[in-house]
């Protein structure tokens, strides 16, 4: 997933992006702050969003909330700590089995 998308979400900016598989697997759509569009319709989709400030504001807030819930430094640190704890426990278990 391009890092810029997470940065835009963290700033509360609505995102219009092409549907890359890596991004789609992490962010499903407007309810998480991203509107997807194929290149052929990208310009039209841009104009549609610019003409609807209420919708773009809502998409931006959705992205902000998604970023806080999923990319917050504290949460990422806690997730990493859990992974490291599991690795330590599995190594300890392996050593005691030998």
């Amino acid at each position: 997933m391009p890092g810029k998308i997470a940065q835009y979400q963290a700033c509360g900016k609505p995102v219009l992006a092409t549907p890359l598989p890596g991004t789609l697997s992490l962010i499903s759509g407007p309810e998480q702050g991203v509107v997807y569009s194929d290149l052929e319709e990208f310009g039209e989709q841009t104009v549609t969003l610019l003409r609807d400030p209420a919708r773009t504001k809502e998409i931006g807030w959705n992205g902000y909330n998604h970023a806080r819930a999923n990319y917050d430094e504290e949460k990422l640190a806690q997730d990493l700590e859990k992974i490291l704890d599991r690795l330590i426990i599995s190594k300890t278990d392996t050593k005691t089995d030998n």
Side-chain angles (χ1 to χ4, degrees):
M1 179 179 101
K4 288 182 180 184
I5 291 177
Q7 292 170 349
Y8 297 150
Q9 288 177 306
C11 292
K13 300 293 183 187
V15 177
L16 177 61
T18 55
L20 299 174
T23 307
L24 280 169
S25 68
L26 297 171
I27 304 170
S28 61
E31 62 281 350
Q32 295 178 334
V34 178
V35 174
Y36 293 106
S37 177
D38 292 325
L39 290 176
E40 297 81 27
E41 299 171 3
F42 208 85
E44 182 181 324
Q45 189 66 259
T46 300
V47 171
T48 299
L49 289 170
L50 289 173
R51 288 183 176 160
D52 192 348
R55 182 166 184 248
T56 55
K57 185 175 182 177
E58 178 184 357
I59 293 167
W61 272 112
N62 291 347
Y64 174 78
N65 291 326
H66 178 77
R68 285 203 46 153
N70 293 280
Y71 313 130
D72 177 73
E73 289 176 354
E74 184 70 28
K75 182 192 180 315
L76 293 174
Q78 290 171 355
D79 291 348
L80 177 59
E81 187 175 346
K82 289 175 187 175
I83 291 168
L84 294 173
D85 284 343
R86 284 194 302 264
L87 288 171
I88 291 168
I89 290 169
S90 71
K91 287 281 187 186
T92 305
D93 290 345
T94 304
K95 286 182 180 179
T96 58
D97 289 342
N98 291 329

